Amino acid sequence: MPVHLRQHPGRPRTAATAAASAAAVALLLGACATGTGGDGQAADVDFSATPSPGSSLDVMGFGTGDEVGKVRHDRAVEALGIDVRLSEGALDPQAFLSAAASGNPPDLIYAERTQIGTFASRGAILPLSACIEAQGIDTDAYVDSALAQVTFDGEVYGIPEFNQIQVTMANADLLAGAGLDISAVDGSDPDAALAAAEAMTRSDGGSLSVIGFDSKLPEFLPLWAKGRGADLLSADGRTAQLDDPEVVAALEKAVAVYDAQGGFPAVKTYRDSADFFGAGNQFATGTLGAMPMEQWYVNVLNESSPDAPMAFGPFRGTDGEVLSFATGSAWAVPADADDPAAACAYAARMTETDAWMAAAQARADARAADGLVFTGVLTGNEEADAQIRSELVPADAPQPWADAIDAVYAANDHAFALPANPADNEFEQAWQDAVNRVLNGQEEPAEALAQAQQEAQAALDEAWQKWDDRQADGSAGQDAQ
């Protein structure tokens, strides 16, 4: 979600971490410094230049900790014949922007797609139309929402990869014990989800022993709002819509689920005590009824607790249609990069269909060796996704994993993303802070979102004005340290 630091698809960030990192980046971007880069420099870049054999490429924010990363990296290095030096670990926006402001950035960064609009608006990364043309990158092959998220003010600034979406996950035994099925908790009827939470929740001595339903707030507010037909941000990324009555109603319904279980603090405390990634996870131990969750958790469950009584299905809006909120990563070329052509070529090799197929084959082989089901890889490349599913994902997967696979691919086909904008850090901070105030009992939803609307719109107006002024002046220099 907005301003995510890069993470392994199997590791979520907490809301506190997200808020802290967003605040840090916001402070950094508030500082001004003189730098170079932007559209003017992009016009001088020959993205078709062939990398010199033995030359080096510095990459920030990417690592080869699993086979999906390593196979693609090794393949790209061999094809280009260059030395690629990786600065592994999540991209540190402050470190990157400081390096960019000093005129000594890496050649390529691996960032959250939600960071692209902010980086682009500050002149820290180059527009990539020429890169896309030079490398023959077929942008039509990419997931629409992923490509839109790296398109700022009509220009593509990133090459997207990976897609994180949500599906509904539930403990089938708890559902059956309450006389319910997956449709009661798939989001299509918030009142049914509330009733399911009440039916499955259990307390022992005044303390929770079973969480009936987890709305996954604050991070999934965009999903619940979109389920009611509301967007937190206008399509052009300029107008906050946090006080839309349907956003308020979505928050009220999602919070009511926690209130029915003793309040969010009690639910969160119990939720945080679970062995989330291990065999003692909340589904395996029967301590969670249901929740919407990113698709990578399917593999965690399949690996750590394959015999848990699971039920899977897509998340649905109140109109009954499948829906998911997409986030993911992207490659971007910094302004002042020493070798932008090599950076572009590397990103192209990393995201082409053949690279994804080779990586998915390695993942499928590894899963088979461990006696596990390969449930697919969501790449951000529609062509690769379709080929992976048709050639590598088993058509006869056992239940409940067959339902999980169907849900994941359905969700991927019906994903939306928040539009690129120049103040995404502040925008996310505003709505997440508002949700947290409601969860902690400090404010009512309408009041909290009204305040968030003012904060978010002020940040958007200021950031867009700076961008518009630079465009009018013909200046694309970097203005953020």
Side-chain angles (χ1 to χ4, degrees), residues 197-248:
E198 293 172 333
M200 291 188 287
T201 298
R202 298 288 183 272
S203 295
D204 182 9
S207 298
L208 276 176
S209 57
V210 176
I211 298 170
F213 186 84
D214 188 349
S215 302
K216 292 305 296 293
L217 292 180
E219 58 266 38
F220 285 177
L221 177 64
L223 181 67
W224 289 105
K226 189 70 169 179
R228 301 182 71 89
D231 293 298
L232 303 192
L233 184 63
S234 63
D236 62 4
R238 291 179 177 263
T239 305
Q241 300 171 162
L242 301 177
D243 59 352
D244 183 301
E246 291 301 331
V247 178
V248 175

Side-chain angles (χ1 to χ4, degrees), residues 315-340:
F315 184 91
R316 299 179 185 274
T318 55
D319 59 0
E321 296 298 316
V322 176
L323 181 67
S324 67
F325 170 43
T327 58
S329 45
W331 297 100
V333 180
D336 291 330
D338 287 339
D339 198 341

Side-chain angles (χ1 to χ4, degrees), residues 285-447:
T285 56
T287 56
L288 172 63
M291 67 176 175
M293 185 62 192
E294 286 97 342
Q295 88 281 356
W296 52 259
Y297 198 54
V298 171
N299 284 333
V300 172
L301 295 170
N302 181 248
E303 181 175 353
S304 64
S305 53
D307 297 324
M310 294 302 303
F312 297 97
F315 184 91
R316 299 179 185 274
T318 55
D319 59 0
E321 296 298 316
V322 176
L323 181 67
S324 67
F325 170 43
T327 58
S329 45
W331 297 100
V333 180
D336 291 330
D338 287 339
D339 198 341
C344 174
Y346 179 86
R349 299 292 80 73
M350 291 291 286
T351 57
E352 63 189 359
T353 298
D354 287 349
W356 285 118
M357 286 302 297
Q361 183 68 66
R363 170 65 60 84
D365 291 345
R367 301 289 287 180
D370 292 335
L372 301 172
V373 177
F374 175 61
T375 59
V377 177
L378 299 185
T379 70
N381 177 327
E382 291 178 330
E383 182 180 79
D385 288 344
Q387 196 168 333
I388 289 169
R389 187 176 191 189
S390 66
E391 297 182 19
L392 299 177
V393 176
D396 58 350
Q399 292 290 13
W401 313 110
D403 285 345
I405 291 168
D406 288 343
V408 166
Y409 280 96
N412 197 47
D413 287 340
H414 296 83
F416 75 96
L418 295 180
N421 71 84
D424 195 79
N425 309 297
E426 298 92 332
F427 181 77
E428 180 191 35
Q429 185 81 46
W431 67 259
Q432 286 216 357
D433 283 353
V435 175
N436 282 322
R437 290 195 298 273
V438 174
L439 292 173
N440 293 326
Q442 297 169 278
E443 293 180 353
E444 293 299 315
E447 178 187 6

Side-chain angles (χ1 to χ4, degrees), residues 244-293:
D244 183 301
E246 291 301 331
V247 178
V248 175
L251 181 55
E252 289 173 342
K253 293 290 187 180
V255 171
V257 169
Y258 293 125
D259 291 342
Q261 300 175 93
F264 178 74
V267 173
K268 184 178 185 303
T269 297
Y270 191 49
R271 179 176 73 186
D272 291 349
S273 69
D275 179 20
F276 196 77
F277 295 100
N281 65 74
Q282 61 275 43
F283 286 125
T285 56
T287 56
L288 172 63
M291 67 176 175
M293 185 62 192

